[in-house]
mmCIF file of all heavy atoms in Angstrom:
data_model
loop_
_atom_site.group_PDB
_atom_site.id
_atom_site.type_symbol
_atom_site.label_atom_id
_atom_site.label_comp_id
_atom_site.label_asym_id
_atom_site.label_seq_id
_atom_site.Cartn_x
_atom_site.Cartn_y
_atom_site.Cartn_z
ATOM 1 N N PRO A 1116 -113.267 185.575 -57.607
ATOM 2 C CA PRO A 1116 -114.002 185.371 -56.355
ATOM 3 C C PRO A 1116 -114.594 183.990 -56.193
ATOM 4 O O PRO A 1116 -115.574 183.790 -55.461
ATOM 5 C CB PRO A 1116 -115.176 186.340 -56.518
ATOM 6 C CG PRO A 1116 -115.484 186.332 -57.973
ATOM 7 C CD PRO A 1116 -114.105 186.102 -58.609
ATOM 8 N N TRP A 1117 -114.060 182.978 -56.977
ATOM 9 C CA TRP A 1117 -114.565 181.594 -56.784
ATOM 10 C C TRP A 1117 -114.281 181.080 -55.377
ATOM 11 O O TRP A 1117 -113.262 181.524 -54.761
ATOM 12 C CB TRP A 1117 -113.870 180.673 -57.846
ATOM 13 C CG TRP A 1117 -114.262 181.018 -59.233
ATOM 14 C CD1 TRP A 1117 -113.540 181.788 -60.101
ATOM 15 C CD2 TRP A 1117 -115.431 180.600 -59.957
ATOM 16 N NE1 TRP A 1117 -114.166 181.914 -61.330
ATOM 17 C CE2 TRP A 1117 -115.343 181.165 -61.305
ATOM 18 C CE3 TRP A 1117 -116.485 179.803 -59.634
ATOM 19 C CZ2 TRP A 1117 -116.282 180.948 -62.237
ATOM 20 C CZ3 TRP A 1117 -117.523 179.603 -60.644
ATOM 21 C CH2 TRP A 1117 -117.416 180.143 -61.877
ATOM 22 N N LYS A 1118 -115.120 180.192 -54.929
ATOM 23 C CA LYS A 1118 -115.006 179.720 -53.512
ATOM 24 C C LYS A 1118 -114.417 178.360 -53.398
ATOM 25 O O LYS A 1118 -114.594 177.664 -52.364
ATOM 26 C CB LYS A 1118 -116.394 179.756 -52.889
ATOM 27 C CG LYS A 1118 -117.113 181.119 -52.943
ATOM 28 C CD LYS A 1118 -116.368 182.189 -52.220
ATOM 29 C CE LYS A 1118 -117.110 183.521 -52.210
ATOM 30 N NZ LYS A 1118 -116.366 184.534 -51.538
ATOM 31 N N PHE A 1119 -113.751 177.871 -54.434
ATOM 32 C CA PHE A 1119 -113.136 176.536 -54.320
ATOM 33 C C PHE A 1119 -111.792 176.547 -55.004
ATOM 34 O O PHE A 1119 -111.523 177.425 -55.872
ATOM 35 C CB PHE A 1119 -114.057 175.458 -54.933
ATOM 36 C CG PHE A 1119 -114.237 175.618 -56.412
ATOM 37 C CD1 PHE A 1119 -113.445 174.966 -57.365
ATOM 38 C CD2 PHE A 1119 -115.300 176.442 -56.920
ATOM 39 C CE1 PHE A 1119 -113.670 175.091 -58.702
ATOM 40 C CE2 PHE A 1119 -115.510 176.544 -58.273
ATOM 41 C CZ PHE A 1119 -114.715 175.946 -59.161
ATOM 42 N N ASN A 1120 -110.889 175.643 -54.561
ATOM 43 C CA ASN A 1120 -109.573 175.537 -55.164
ATOM 44 C C ASN A 1120 -109.674 174.666 -56.368
ATOM 45 O O ASN A 1120 -109.921 173.447 -56.230
ATOM 46 C CB ASN A 1120 -108.625 174.963 -54.139
ATOM 47 C CG ASN A 1120 -107.175 174.940 -54.558
ATOM 48 O OD1 ASN A 1120 -106.894 174.570 -55.735
ATOM 49 N ND2 ASN A 1120 -106.272 175.333 -53.732
ATOM 50 N N LEU A 1121 -109.515 175.203 -57.540
ATOM 51 C CA LEU A 1121 -109.745 174.484 -58.832
ATOM 52 C C LEU A 1121 -108.953 173.210 -58.871
ATOM 53 O O LEU A 1121 -109.456 172.165 -59.200
ATOM 54 C CB LEU A 1121 -109.452 175.465 -59.989
ATOM 55 C CG LEU A 1121 -109.451 174.759 -61.406
ATOM 56 C CD1 LEU A 1121 -110.867 174.462 -61.756
ATOM 57 C CD2 LEU A 1121 -108.791 175.702 -62.416
ATOM 58 N N LEU A 1122 -107.673 173.289 -58.687
ATOM 59 C CA LEU A 1122 -106.800 172.169 -58.905
ATOM 60 C C LEU A 1122 -106.844 171.173 -57.792
ATOM 61 O O LEU A 1122 -106.184 170.109 -57.888
ATOM 62 C CB LEU A 1122 -105.346 172.679 -59.181
ATOM 63 C CG LEU A 1122 -105.217 173.598 -60.393
ATOM 64 C CD1 LEU A 1122 -103.763 173.940 -60.620
ATOM 65 C CD2 LEU A 1122 -105.832 172.949 -61.675
ATOM 66 N N LYS A 1123 -107.561 171.420 -56.704
ATOM 67 C CA LYS A 1123 -107.807 170.410 -55.729
ATOM 68 C C LYS A 1123 -109.139 169.703 -56.048
ATOM 69 O O LYS A 1123 -109.438 168.612 -55.497
ATOM 70 C CB LYS A 1123 -107.844 171.006 -54.296
ATOM 71 C CG LYS A 1123 -106.485 171.410 -53.808
ATOM 72 C CD LYS A 1123 -106.538 171.858 -52.370
ATOM 73 C CE LYS A 1123 -105.113 172.138 -51.827
ATOM 74 N NZ LYS A 1123 -105.092 172.619 -50.406
ATOM 75 N N GLN A 1124 -109.967 170.342 -56.901
ATOM 76 C CA GLN A 1124 -111.233 169.676 -57.251
ATOM 77 C C GLN A 1124 -111.169 168.994 -58.615
ATOM 78 O O GLN A 1124 -111.946 168.052 -58.872
ATOM 79 C CB GLN A 1124 -112.323 170.821 -57.318
ATOM 80 C CG GLN A 1124 -112.621 171.414 -55.985
ATOM 81 C CD GLN A 1124 -113.447 170.513 -55.106
ATOM 82 O OE1 GLN A 1124 -113.942 169.513 -55.516
ATOM 83 N NE2 GLN A 1124 -113.521 170.893 -53.833
ATOM 84 N N VAL A 1125 -110.251 169.428 -59.462
ATOM 85 C CA VAL A 1125 -110.186 168.950 -60.789
ATOM 86 C C VAL A 1125 -108.769 168.515 -61.120
ATOM 87 O O VAL A 1125 -107.778 169.294 -60.947
ATOM 88 C CB VAL A 1125 -110.631 170.005 -61.874
ATOM 89 C CG1 VAL A 1125 -110.376 169.478 -63.295
ATOM 90 C CG2 VAL A 1125 -112.081 170.425 -61.661
ATOM 91 N N SER A 1126 -108.570 167.338 -61.576
ATOM 92 C CA SER A 1126 -107.211 166.896 -62.022
ATOM 93 C C SER A 1126 -107.046 167.321 -63.453
ATOM 94 O O SER A 1126 -107.829 166.986 -64.379
ATOM 95 C CB SER A 1126 -107.077 165.366 -61.932
ATOM 96 O OG SER A 1126 -108.048 164.694 -62.669
ATOM 97 N N ALA A 1127 -106.015 168.150 -63.736
ATOM 98 C CA ALA A 1127 -105.828 168.772 -65.043
ATOM 99 C C ALA A 1127 -104.368 168.604 -65.463
ATOM 100 O O ALA A 1127 -103.462 168.480 -64.643
ATOM 101 C CB ALA A 1127 -106.218 170.242 -64.975
ATOM 102 N N ILE A 1128 -104.157 168.595 -66.837
ATOM 103 C CA ILE A 1128 -102.825 168.457 -67.337
ATOM 104 C C ILE A 1128 -102.685 169.471 -68.505
ATOM 105 O O ILE A 1128 -103.647 169.916 -69.049
ATOM 106 C CB ILE A 1128 -102.588 167.047 -67.935
ATOM 107 C CG1 ILE A 1128 -103.732 166.636 -68.984
ATOM 108 C CG2 ILE A 1128 -102.492 165.982 -66.862
ATOM 109 C CD1 ILE A 1128 -103.448 165.392 -69.789
ATOM 110 N N ASP A 1129 -101.461 169.765 -68.788
ATOM 111 C CA ASP A 1129 -101.096 170.557 -70.002
ATOM 112 C C ASP A 1129 -100.660 169.447 -71.027
ATOM 113 O O ASP A 1129 -99.651 168.818 -70.815
ATOM 114 C CB ASP A 1129 -100.018 171.537 -69.703
ATOM 115 C CG ASP A 1129 -99.756 172.486 -70.888
ATOM 116 O OD1 ASP A 1129 -99.909 172.041 -72.044
ATOM 117 O OD2 ASP A 1129 -99.439 173.639 -70.595
ATOM 118 N N ALA A 1130 -101.435 169.376 -72.136
ATOM 119 C CA ALA A 1130 -101.118 168.383 -73.171
ATOM 120 C C ALA A 1130 -100.070 168.931 -74.136
ATOM 121 O O ALA A 1130 -99.798 168.249 -75.174
ATOM 122 C CB ALA A 1130 -102.363 168.003 -73.858
ATOM 123 N N GLY A 1131 -99.464 170.092 -73.860
ATOM 124 C CA GLY A 1131 -98.504 170.681 -74.795
ATOM 125 C C GLY A 1131 -99.160 171.189 -76.074
ATOM 126 O O GLY A 1131 -100.410 171.434 -76.112
ATOM 127 N N ASP A 1132 -98.395 171.412 -77.087
ATOM 128 C CA ASP A 1132 -98.890 171.941 -78.355
ATOM 129 C C ASP A 1132 -98.995 170.815 -79.352
ATOM 130 O O ASP A 1132 -98.139 169.895 -79.421
ATOM 131 C CB ASP A 1132 -97.923 172.988 -78.905
ATOM 132 C CG ASP A 1132 -98.024 174.330 -78.204
ATOM 133 O OD1 ASP A 1132 -99.060 174.505 -77.431
ATOM 134 O OD2 ASP A 1132 -97.097 175.136 -78.320
ATOM 135 N N LEU A 1133 -99.992 170.851 -80.229
ATOM 136 C CA LEU A 1133 -100.140 169.931 -81.309
ATOM 137 C C LEU A 1133 -99.120 170.232 -82.340
ATOM 138 O O LEU A 1133 -98.831 171.344 -82.742
ATOM 139 C CB LEU A 1133 -101.517 170.087 -81.965
ATOM 140 C CG LEU A 1133 -101.889 169.041 -83.021
ATOM 141 C CD1 LEU A 1133 -102.168 167.714 -82.324
ATOM 142 C CD2 LEU A 1133 -103.059 169.507 -83.809
ATOM 143 N N VAL A 1134 -98.363 169.140 -82.738
ATOM 144 C CA VAL A 1134 -97.239 169.295 -83.672
ATOM 145 C C VAL A 1134 -97.776 168.894 -85.071
ATOM 146 O O VAL A 1134 -98.441 167.911 -85.246
ATOM 147 C CB VAL A 1134 -96.085 168.368 -83.252
ATOM 148 C CG1 VAL A 1134 -94.981 168.508 -84.284
ATOM 149 C CG2 VAL A 1134 -95.580 168.819 -81.919
ATOM 150 N N TYR A 1135 -97.402 169.687 -86.026
ATOM 151 C CA TYR A 1135 -97.842 169.386 -87.470
ATOM 152 C C TYR A 1135 -96.722 169.945 -88.375
ATOM 153 O O TYR A 1135 -95.899 170.743 -87.935
ATOM 154 C CB TYR A 1135 -99.152 170.051 -87.736
ATOM 155 C CG TYR A 1135 -99.209 171.534 -87.664
ATOM 156 C CD1 TYR A 1135 -99.142 172.296 -88.862
ATOM 157 C CD2 TYR A 1135 -99.306 172.210 -86.471
ATOM 158 C CE1 TYR A 1135 -99.118 173.679 -88.787
ATOM 159 C CE2 TYR A 1135 -99.309 173.592 -86.411
ATOM 160 C CZ TYR A 1135 -99.217 174.313 -87.544
ATOM 161 O OH TYR A 1135 -99.199 175.692 -87.505
ATOM 162 N N ASP A 1136 -96.792 169.546 -89.615
ATOM 163 C CA ASP A 1136 -95.791 170.032 -90.594
ATOM 164 C C ASP A 1136 -96.155 171.466 -90.898
ATOM 165 O O ASP A 1136 -97.239 171.799 -91.322
ATOM 166 C CB ASP A 1136 -95.849 169.202 -91.840
ATOM 167 C CG ASP A 1136 -95.383 167.803 -91.642
ATOM 168 O OD1 ASP A 1136 -94.618 167.562 -90.697
ATOM 169 O OD2 ASP A 1136 -95.754 166.882 -92.426
ATOM 170 N N CYS A 1137 -95.158 172.376 -90.717
ATOM 171 C CA CYS A 1137 -95.335 173.769 -90.924
ATOM 172 C C CYS A 1137 -95.932 174.037 -92.309
ATOM 173 O O CYS A 1137 -95.394 173.545 -93.309
ATOM 174 C CB CYS A 1137 -94.079 174.551 -90.718
ATOM 175 S SG CYS A 1137 -93.466 174.497 -88.995
ATOM 176 N N GLY A 1138 -96.995 174.870 -92.387
ATOM 177 C CA GLY A 1138 -97.573 175.260 -93.677
ATOM 178 C C GLY A 1138 -98.569 174.292 -94.226
ATOM 179 O O GLY A 1138 -99.188 174.608 -95.259
ATOM 180 N N ASP A 1139 -98.823 173.190 -93.536
ATOM 181 C CA ASP A 1139 -99.791 172.200 -94.020
ATOM 182 C C ASP A 1139 -101.096 172.363 -93.288
ATOM 183 O O ASP A 1139 -101.342 171.687 -92.273
ATOM 184 C CB ASP A 1139 -99.226 170.787 -93.862
ATOM 185 C CG ASP A 1139 -99.999 169.717 -94.652
ATOM 186 O OD1 ASP A 1139 -101.210 169.973 -94.908
ATOM 187 O OD2 ASP A 1139 -99.412 168.706 -94.991
ATOM 188 N N ALA A 1140 -101.992 173.202 -93.815
ATOM 189 C CA ALA A 1140 -103.231 173.480 -93.076
ATOM 190 C C ALA A 1140 -104.151 172.300 -93.113
ATOM 191 O O ALA A 1140 -104.869 172.049 -92.161
ATOM 192 C CB ALA A 1140 -103.967 174.683 -93.780
ATOM 193 N N GLN A 1141 -104.149 171.554 -94.166
ATOM 194 C CA GLN A 1141 -105.008 170.372 -94.254
ATOM 195 C C GLN A 1141 -104.606 169.339 -93.246
ATOM 196 O O GLN A 1141 -105.440 168.742 -92.531
ATOM 197 C CB GLN A 1141 -104.942 169.733 -95.659
ATOM 198 C CG GLN A 1141 -105.823 168.529 -95.829
ATOM 199 C CD GLN A 1141 -105.768 167.959 -97.255
ATOM 200 O OE1 GLN A 1141 -105.050 168.471 -98.104
ATOM 201 N NE2 GLN A 1141 -106.600 166.967 -97.523
ATOM 202 N N GLN A 1142 -103.335 169.083 -93.113
ATOM 203 C CA GLN A 1142 -102.796 168.129 -92.113
ATOM 204 C C GLN A 1142 -103.122 168.547 -90.701
ATOM 205 O O GLN A 1142 -103.615 167.848 -89.859
ATOM 206 C CB GLN A 1142 -101.317 167.914 -92.226
ATOM 207 C CG GLN A 1142 -100.726 166.897 -91.268
ATOM 208 C CD GLN A 1142 -99.235 167.086 -91.050
ATOM 209 O OE1 GLN A 1142 -98.852 168.022 -90.348
ATOM 210 N NE2 GLN A 1142 -98.475 166.208 -91.711
ATOM 211 N N PHE A 1143 -102.925 169.910 -90.453
ATOM 212 C CA PHE A 1143 -103.214 170.456 -89.150
ATOM 213 C C PHE A 1143 -104.699 170.240 -88.750
ATOM 214 O O PHE A 1143 -105.013 169.795 -87.680
ATOM 215 C CB PHE A 1143 -102.886 171.961 -89.124
ATOM 216 C CG PHE A 1143 -103.384 172.672 -87.859
ATOM 217 C CD1 PHE A 1143 -102.672 172.615 -86.710
ATOM 218 C CD2 PHE A 1143 -104.591 173.301 -87.877
ATOM 219 C CE1 PHE A 1143 -103.107 173.212 -85.539
ATOM 220 C CE2 PHE A 1143 -105.058 173.900 -86.723
ATOM 221 C CZ PHE A 1143 -104.320 173.901 -85.542
ATOM 222 N N THR A 1144 -105.565 170.549 -89.734
ATOM 223 C CA THR A 1144 -107.015 170.425 -89.465
ATOM 224 C C THR A 1144 -107.341 169.051 -89.036
ATOM 225 O O THR A 1144 -108.163 168.810 -88.064
ATOM 226 C CB THR A 1144 -107.813 170.872 -90.682
ATOM 227 O OG1 THR A 1144 -107.446 172.182 -91.068
ATOM 228 C CG2 THR A 1144 -109.314 170.849 -90.438
ATOM 229 N N GLN A 1145 -106.859 168.040 -89.763
ATOM 230 C CA GLN A 1145 -107.185 166.672 -89.485
ATOM 231 C C GLN A 1145 -106.592 166.223 -88.174
ATOM 232 O O GLN A 1145 -107.192 165.491 -87.364
ATOM 233 C CB GLN A 1145 -106.728 165.711 -90.604
ATOM 234 C CG GLN A 1145 -107.287 164.259 -90.496
ATOM 235 C CD GLN A 1145 -108.793 164.298 -90.525
ATOM 236 O OE1 GLN A 1145 -109.420 164.801 -91.476
ATOM 237 N NE2 GLN A 1145 -109.422 163.717 -89.544
ATOM 238 N N LYS A 1146 -105.347 166.714 -87.843
ATOM 239 C CA LYS A 1146 -104.691 166.324 -86.618
ATOM 240 C C LYS A 1146 -105.458 166.932 -85.402
ATOM 241 O O LYS A 1146 -105.549 166.236 -84.383
ATOM 242 C CB LYS A 1146 -103.245 166.844 -86.636
ATOM 243 C CG LYS A 1146 -102.274 165.930 -87.333
ATOM 244 C CD LYS A 1146 -100.846 166.240 -86.914
ATOM 245 C CE LYS A 1146 -99.924 165.105 -87.269
ATOM 246 N NZ LYS A 1146 -98.524 165.272 -86.730
ATOM 247 N N VAL A 1147 -105.987 168.153 -85.547
ATOM 248 C CA VAL A 1147 -106.754 168.728 -84.477
ATOM 249 C C VAL A 1147 -107.983 167.856 -84.185
ATOM 250 O O VAL A 1147 -108.258 167.493 -83.004
ATOM 251 C CB VAL A 1147 -107.239 170.177 -84.751
ATOM 252 C CG1 VAL A 1147 -108.218 170.690 -83.715
ATOM 253 C CG2 VAL A 1147 -105.969 171.077 -84.839
ATOM 254 N N GLU A 1148 -108.705 167.514 -85.237
ATOM 255 C CA GLU A 1148 -109.937 166.682 -85.042
ATOM 256 C C GLU A 1148 -109.557 165.344 -84.421
ATOM 257 O O GLU A 1148 -110.259 164.873 -83.502
ATOM 258 C CB GLU A 1148 -110.617 166.487 -86.357
ATOM 259 C CG GLU A 1148 -111.866 165.701 -86.268
ATOM 260 C CD GLU A 1148 -112.587 165.515 -87.630
ATOM 261 O OE1 GLU A 1148 -112.283 166.283 -88.546
ATOM 262 O OE2 GLU A 1148 -113.481 164.656 -87.701
ATOM 263 N N ASN A 1149 -108.484 164.697 -84.901
ATOM 264 C CA ASN A 1149 -108.091 163.420 -84.373
ATOM 265 C C ASN A 1149 -107.626 163.458 -82.912
ATOM 266 O O ASN A 1149 -108.042 162.623 -82.089
ATOM 267 C CB ASN A 1149 -106.992 162.773 -85.262
ATOM 268 C CG ASN A 1149 -107.461 162.436 -86.636
ATOM 269 O OD1 ASN A 1149 -108.641 162.406 -86.934
ATOM 270 N ND2 ASN A 1149 -106.482 162.184 -87.566
ATOM 271 N N ALA A 1150 -106.810 164.492 -82.609
ATOM 272 C CA ALA A 1150 -106.271 164.555 -81.281
ATOM 273 C C ALA A 1150 -107.323 164.921 -80.243
ATOM 274 O O ALA A 1150 -107.457 164.354 -79.155
ATOM 275 C CB ALA A 1150 -105.183 165.723 -81.249
ATOM 276 N N ALA A 1151 -108.216 165.868 -80.634
ATOM 277 C CA ALA A 1151 -109.311 166.167 -79.742
ATOM 278 C C ALA A 1151 -110.313 165.054 -79.540
ATOM 279 O O ALA A 1151 -110.789 164.797 -78.418
ATOM 280 C CB ALA A 1151 -110.067 167.410 -80.294
ATOM 281 N N SER A 1152 -110.541 164.318 -80.566
ATOM 282 C CA SER A 1152 -111.393 163.145 -80.532
ATOM 283 C C SER A 1152 -110.867 162.128 -79.599
ATOM 284 O O SER A 1152 -111.619 161.488 -78.816
ATOM 285 C CB SER A 1152 -111.642 162.514 -81.889
ATOM 286 O OG SER A 1152 -112.314 163.442 -82.755
ATOM 287 N N GLU A 1153 -109.562 161.888 -79.640
ATOM 288 C CA GLU A 1153 -108.929 160.909 -78.702
ATOM 289 C C GLU A 1153 -108.995 161.379 -77.251
ATOM 290 O O GLU A 1153 -109.337 160.578 -76.408
ATOM 291 C CB GLU A 1153 -107.518 160.696 -79.158
ATOM 292 C CG GLU A 1153 -107.315 159.867 -80.445
ATOM 293 C CD GLU A 1153 -105.872 159.500 -80.727
ATOM 294 O OE1 GLU A 1153 -105.050 159.645 -79.752
ATOM 295 O OE2 GLU A 1153 -105.565 159.105 -81.822
ATOM 296 N N LEU A 1154 -108.737 162.634 -77.059
ATOM 297 C CA LEU A 1154 -108.820 163.125 -75.677
ATOM 298 C C LEU A 1154 -110.293 163.030 -75.142
ATOM 299 O O LEU A 1154 -110.461 162.604 -74.004
ATOM 300 C CB LEU A 1154 -108.355 164.614 -75.642
ATOM 301 C CG LEU A 1154 -106.824 164.821 -75.758
ATOM 302 C CD1 LEU A 1154 -106.506 166.209 -76.037
ATOM 303 C CD2 LEU A 1154 -106.090 164.315 -74.529
ATOM 304 N N LEU A 1155 -111.266 163.396 -75.962
ATOM 305 C CA LEU A 1155 -112.599 163.324 -75.483
ATOM 306 C C LEU A 1155 -113.015 161.896 -75.274
ATOM 307 O O LEU A 1155 -113.734 161.566 -74.294
ATOM 308 C CB LEU A 1155 -113.578 164.002 -76.565
ATOM 309 C CG LEU A 1155 -113.403 165.524 -76.652
ATOM 310 C CD1 LEU A 1155 -114.160 166.008 -77.892
ATOM 311 C CD2 LEU A 1155 -113.834 166.246 -75.406
#
């Protein structure tokens, strides 16, 4: 029931999925922090 068109008010993108080496939790954790920090 929102009263505004979201995508006419906000410019948004799909940044895809974060890519990391399968099974490497440590690398993934650091990549999430780095990628999110850059986007912010």
Side-chain angles (χ1 to χ4, degrees):
W1117 296 95
K1118 303 299 184 183
F1119 64 94
N1120 187 316
L1121 174 69
L1122 299 183
K1123 287 187 177 179
Q1124 295 286 346
V1125 175
S1126 57
I1128 55 170
D1129 189 327
D1132 286 343
L1133 187 72
V1134 178
Y1135 63 100
D1136 293 337
C1137 293
D1139 194 333
Q1141 181 178 4
Q1142 182 201 77
F1143 171 83
T1144 304
Q1145 192 60 55
K1146 277 198 164 188
V1147 173
E1148 182 177 345
N1149 294 345
S1152 296
E1153 288 187 13
L1154 286 167
L1155 293 171

